[in-house]
């Protein structure tokens, strides 16, 4: 009886620590960095014996590559921004979209341009990197619109569009999302296999997002946009070519590195270092400034959060989830894919997609690849149902406050409820089509 009572107390404590950790991450009391709350939660789990040092070692082995890969990608994205690479992309895209001598642009063209740019950035630089780059870009562009009728409302619409698209488009490659890296490492999914499985769902989601956002918000946008933008001097062509070469090196390095068992973070940190070095040599990047911007706290944050989540695993939650998934085995493949995707979406929306992806991966360890990818789509796309569903959304909403922009919980939820269920449906539909063909 004493042992049973003690076990119950430890189990209760694990859920209390997990709940308090998530609450602190969401509401940020005392305005501390995110890693402080997850680290405190991990320390409490160790102190109460919910996890052991061997559990910490296991979790570190599971997440070290993914977290360092994300750090490398964000530094790489920041360096390319300083080098003017995205200014080049924006410049030539706007030239193709606008009238020859003016910045008089049809709104639908700008809308498509932003959607495509967000998709490309999320694909190659992760959802966090995409939001980090696009948020100040959108604010800078839309606050210099000459249209008298263009008010704050369209600015919020485009910011929401960018925020949602950055997560929705983070499915194609392993390095496009932290959840992808964790899952691919856990199940040993190759880069090519991952990209092939996610390409069609990604295409379905991107096209559906463009169409649905446009249908919902077309009446709130003017037909044309007159930009009052002072074009910055573009970097030398040699720098732009070097940036393209680094992107190619990242892609081919990851594909080739798999054959030799080279960790993903070797390539992301490698191109981050080379891009920083180029910026320093060309006097476009200050080392001290980049070190301040480097998201090293993500390493501590993810390790701490996953230790807290692993405490739930030790308390039997994963076994409970695995038993629940067994009920899906008798369903047709279509129903299985949608059941897992919706379940992961709801779980991610409530407890954040990082804890959910780990719990789901552990529960799905004996499942088919179709269900694994359905789980990922639920965590990547479906997590946007609430503002606490993904780390990228939390960081994005917090960063908007620095610009004096506040998107209320009600505003976010109103858009999310109209958008996310449809996007998740199209993503899972794309996965089902890929599996059956």
């Amino acid at each position: 009886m004493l042992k049973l009572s003690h076990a119950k107390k430890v189990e209760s404590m694990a859920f209390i620590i997990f709940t308090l950790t998530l609450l602190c991450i969401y509401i940020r009391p005392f305005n501390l960095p995110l890693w402080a709350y997850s680290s405190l939660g991990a320390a409490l789990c160790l102190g109460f014996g919910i996890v052991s040092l061997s559990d910490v070692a296991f979790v570190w082995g599971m997440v070290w590559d993914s977290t360092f890969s994300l750090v490398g990608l964000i530094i790489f994205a920041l360096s390319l921004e300083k080098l003017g690479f995205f200014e080049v992309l924006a410049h030539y895209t706007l030239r193709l979209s606008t009238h020859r001598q003016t910045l008089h642009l049809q709104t639908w063209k700008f809308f498509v341009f932003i959607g495509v740019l967000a998709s490309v950035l999320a694909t190659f630089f992760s959802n966090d990197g995409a939001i980090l780059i696009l948020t100040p870009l959108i604010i800078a562009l839309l606050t210099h619109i000459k249209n008298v009728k263009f008010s704050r409302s369209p600015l919020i619409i485009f910011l929401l569009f960018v925020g949602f698209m950055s997560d929705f488009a983070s499915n194609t490659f392993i390095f496009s999302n932290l959840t992808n890296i964790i899952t691919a490492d856990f199940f040993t999914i190759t880069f090519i296999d991952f990209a092939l499985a996610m390409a069609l769902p990604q295409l379905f989601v991107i096209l559906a997002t463009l169409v649905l956002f446009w249908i919902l918000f077309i009446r709130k946008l003017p037909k044309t946009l007159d930009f009052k933008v002072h074009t910055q001097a573009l970097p030398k062509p040699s720098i732009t070519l070097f940036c393209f070469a680094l992107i190619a090196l990242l892609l081919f390095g990851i594909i080739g590195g798999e054959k030799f068992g080279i960790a993903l973070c070797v390539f992301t940190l490698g191109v981050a270092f080379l891009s920083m070095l180029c910026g320093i040599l060309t006097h476009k990047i200050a080392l001290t400034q980049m070190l301040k911007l480097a998201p090293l706290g993500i390493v501590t944050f993810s390790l701490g959060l996953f230790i807290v989540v692993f405490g739930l695993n030790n308390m039997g939650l994963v076994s409970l989830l695995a038993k629940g998934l067994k009920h899906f085995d008798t369903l047709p493949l279509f129903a299985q894919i949608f059941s897992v995707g919706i379940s992961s979406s709801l779980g991610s929306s409530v407890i954040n997609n990082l804890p959910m992806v780990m719990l789901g991966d552990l529960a799905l360890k004996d499942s088919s690849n179709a269900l694994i990818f359905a789980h990922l789509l639920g965590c990547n796309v479906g997590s946007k149902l609430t503002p606490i569903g993904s780390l990228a959304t939390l960081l994005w909403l917090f960063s908007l406050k620095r610009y004096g922009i506040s998107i209320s919980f009600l505003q976010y939820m109103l858009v999310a409820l109209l958008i996310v269920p449809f996007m998740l449906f199209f993503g899972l539909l794309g996965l089902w089509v890929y599996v059956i063909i």
Side-chain angles (χ1 to χ4, degrees):
M1 286 291 291
L2 288 175
K3 288 184 178 180
L4 182 62
S5 177
H6 176 71
K8 287 291 184 182
K9 286 181 180 179
V10 173
E11 183 176 336
S12 300
M13 188 57 65
F15 280 100
I16 290 171
I17 293 173
F18 175 75
T19 303
L20 289 176
T21 301
L22 288 182
L23 282 174
C24 288
I25 290 171
Y26 301 152
I27 64 178
R28 299 190 69 169
F30 310 111
N31 204 29
L32 297 174
L34 293 176
W35 60 262
Y37 307 115
S38 65
S39 298
L40 178 59
L44 289 173
C45 285
L46 274 170
F48 284 100
I50 298 168
V51 296
S52 63
L53 290 176
S54 60
D55 291 333
V56 174
F58 174 81
V59 172
W60 176 244
M62 188 176 177
V63 304
W64 71 270
D65 186 26
S66 59
T67 49
F68 281 120
S69 296
L70 180 60
V71 169
L73 283 170
I74 293 177
I75 294 174
F76 185 36
L78 289 170
S79 298
L80 291 185
E81 183 185 18
K82 297 291 184 183
L83 289 170
F85 178 71
F86 302 116
E87 183 69 27
V88 173
L89 293 183
H91 173 78
Y92 285 105
T93 305
L94 283 174
R95 281 190 61 182
L96 292 172
S97 305
T98 58
H99 294 194
R100 291 182 180 180
Q101 302 298 326
T102 69
L103 283 175
H104 180 75
L105 176 63
Q106 289 180 302
T107 303
W108 74 265
K109 288 185 177 181
F110 179 74
F111 185 83
V112 172
F113 157 60
I114 291 299
V116 172
L117 182 60
S119 302
V120 171
L121 293 179
T123 298
F124 289 96
F125 304 105
S126 82
N127 52 339
D128 301 276
I131 286 180
L132 189 69
I133 295 163
L134 283 171
T135 299
L137 176 64
I138 291 294
I139 292 171
L141 284 173
L142 298 189
T143 51
H144 290 85
I145 293 291
K146 292 192 291 185
N147 300 42
V148 177
K149 295 182 180 180
F150 199 78
S151 63
R152 183 181 177 85
S153 178
L155 173 61
I156 298 297
I157 290 172
F158 276 106
L159 285 172
L160 284 168
F161 178 53
V162 164
F164 277 86
M165 184 64 90
S166 295
D167 273 311
F168 289 166
S170 64
N171 301 295
T172 310
F173 296 142
I174 289 174
F175 54 75
S176 300
N177 199 313
L178 183 58
T179 57
N180 298 352
I181 303 171
I182 293 167
T183 302
D185 282 348
F186 186 77
F187 292 103
T188 320
I189 303 172
T190 67
F191 182 86
I192 296 297
D193 288 342
F194 191 99
L196 288 174
M198 283 298 208
L200 196 59
Q202 182 67 94
L203 180 62
F204 276 34
V205 171
I206 289 174
L207 292 177
T209 304
L210 285 168
V211 172
L212 190 54
F213 253 97
W214 183 252
I215 290 172
L216 289 174
F217 299 111
I218 183 174
R219 294 183 179 179
K220 293 184 177 292
L221 298 172
K223 292 183 179 180
T224 60
L225 305 176
D226 293 320
F227 288 97
K228 184 181 179 182
V229 179
H230 300 289
T231 306
Q232 298 179 8
L234 297 178
K236 295 179 181 179
S238 57
I239 293 178
T240 303
L241 289 174
F242 179 72
C243 293
F244 275 116
L246 288 181
I247 295 172
L249 176 64
L250 176 63
L251 289 174
F252 289 114
I254 291 171
I255 296 171
E258 285 181 339
K259 297 179 180 178
F260 303 100
I262 302 174
L264 178 66
C265 67
V266 171
F267 300 102
T268 60
L269 291 172
V271 294
F273 171 77
L274 291 174
S275 59
M276 277 184 60
L277 183 61
C278 176
I280 292 170
L281 293 176
T282 55
H283 306 291
K284 294 182 179 294
I285 292 176
L287 181 59
T288 53
Q289 182 186 25
M290 286 302 295
L291 290 176
K292 289 179 181 178
L293 293 173
L296 297 177
I298 288 177
V299 179
T300 309
F301 170 79
S302 62
L303 178 61
L305 184 58
F306 284 124
I307 288 171
V308 174
V309 174
F310 200 79
L312 297 180
N313 172 57
N314 289 347
M315 297 303 107
L317 180 60
V318 171
S319 299
L320 191 64
L321 288 174
K323 288 179 181 178
L325 290 171
K326 291 292 182 183
H327 295 295
F328 298 151
D329 292 345
T330 57
L331 300 175
L333 179 62
F334 181 87
Q336 287 185 49
I337 288 174
F338 273 78
S339 296
V340 171
I342 292 170
S343 299
S344 297
S345 169
L346 295 174
S348 297
S349 299
V350 174
I351 69 170
N352 186 268
N353 64 351
L354 289 181
M356 190 62 208
V357 79
M358 184 178 184
L359 291 171
D361 287 350
L362 291 169
L364 289 165
K365 62 181 179 181
D366 297 319
S367 300
S368 65
N369 279 358
L371 299 188
I372 293 167
F373 287 120
H375 168 56
L376 265 181
L377 287 169
C379 290
N380 293 351
V381 178
S383 63
K384 297 293 285 185
L385 198 58
T386 67
I388 61 178
S390 75
L391 174 62
T393 306
L394 288 171
L395 295 174
W396 172 64
L397 291 173
F398 180 73
S399 68
L400 286 179
K401 294 179 181 178
R402 292 183 297 176
Y403 298 96
I405 298 171
S406 178
I407 296 178
S408 69
F409 184 84
L410 183 61
Q411 281 179 312
Y412 182 93
M413 288 299 298
L414 186 61
V415 176
L417 290 172
L418 291 171
I419 296 288
V420 176
F422 292 100
M423 298 309 103
L424 182 60
F425 170 81
F426 283 109
L428 294 173
L429 180 64
L431 176 62
W432 177 73
V433 172
Y434 167 78
V435 172
I436 63 172
I437 58 176

